[in-house]
Amino acid sequence: MNLTEWAKTQGVHPQTAYRWFREGTLPVPAQRVGPRTILVNIDANTTPEAIGGLGLYARVPSHDQKTDLERQVARLSAWAAKAGHRVVRVEAEIASGMDGCRSKARRLLADPNVSTVVVEHKDRLGRMNVELVEAALSATGRRLLVVDDGEVEDDLVRDMVEVLTSFCARLYGRRSAKNRARKALEAAEHG
């Protein structure tokens, strides 16, 4: 069976499967037989357990998006059920993607039963440096799986988004600190 067909049967985007093949992390044996053809050995362990235990993670940045959070969890669960994968943990939280103070994400990443962390979009795991999390997972024989890989793949555009996100975080952080200092001074003057 070719790689694209295998990816579709596993519920994985073909580009993700090709990236796994290039990185050497494809969970089944495969070999290149032509310039554009990669064959997957279907006699190998191609059952859903080949991916291992899934940990589903959903995140939204604010409480007014709680319905979006529930829809994210429903879409991830439906994807896993349709693909026939075993889900061992589901974590959903309302938290900023800019900081690491996300207890549910930490709990999911620390769970040894989770061999594949599944998110709907890469930015749900974090706004920046998700590649570092991917590398850490890969070093322990685990991986990150992005269900909807329809994000912008152009490096320059992605870099610009990360730079703008960083600038916005610094700006909002300074504004917040300035407001807290002003309120503290006002409280000291009136108290």
Side-chain angles (χ1 to χ4, degrees):
M1 159 183 308
N2 75 29
L3 185 64
T4 301
E5 291 169 356
W6 176 86
K8 288 178 182 174
T9 64
Q10 296 298 308
V12 176
H13 194 280
Q15 289 176 341
T16 301
Y18 181 66
R19 186 181 75 236
W20 292 346
F21 175 75
R22 282 192 331 260
E23 295 171 350
T25 59
L26 194 66
V28 293
Q31 65 181 15
R32 186 179 295 276
V33 294
R36 301 187 73 182
T37 307
I38 299 169
L39 291 181
V40 175
N41 183 358
I42 58 172
D43 295 332
N45 184 13
T46 58
T47 62
E49 283 71 28
I51 266 188
L54 297 185
L56 308 180
Y57 181 73
R59 180 192 62 80
V60 292
S62 63
H63 288 280
D64 61 337
Q65 295 175 320
K66 189 169 175 106
T67 56
D68 293 338
L69 182 65
E70 293 164 357
R71 285 192 295 263
Q72 259 185 70
V73 171
R75 286 189 298 264
L76 288 171
S77 299
W79 173 86
K82 182 180 175 189
H85 298 304
R86 183 174 56 97
V87 176
V88 296
R89 185 176 209 109
V90 177
E91 295 289 351
E93 66 185 329
I94 299 170
S96 170
M98 291 300 295
D99 60 22
C101 298
R102 289 181 278 142
S103 60
K104 293 183 179 184
R106 286 188 200 168
R107 213 177 4 221
L108 178 76
L109 293 170
D111 188 340
N113 297 320
V114 174
S115 61
T116 304
V117 176
V118 181
V119 293
E120 189 171 35
H121 299 283
K122 197 179 273 193
D123 69 347
R124 296 300 88 199
L125 190 58
R127 284 289 181 188
M128 296 176 13
N129 298 324
V130 175
E131 291 79 13
L132 296 175
V133 174
E134 279 185 285
L137 286 170
S138 178
T140 59
R142 301 159 71 199
R143 71 164 163 248
L144 174 67
L145 190 136
V146 180
V147 174
D148 184 2
D149 209 9
E151 298 175 22
V152 177
E153 289 297 321
D154 182 40
D155 288 338
L156 183 58
V157 172
R158 188 173 55 240
D159 290 346
M160 286 300 296
V161 168
E162 286 186 7
V163 167
L164 288 173
T165 303
S166 175
F167 284 157
C168 289
R170 287 182 184 168
L171 174 66
Y172 297 146
R174 284 185 190 152
R175 186 180 304 155
S176 174
K178 188 187 298 182
N179 288 339
R180 284 193 307 264
R182 183 180 44 79
K183 287 179 185 175
L185 288 173
E186 288 173 0
E189 288 175 2
H190 297 292

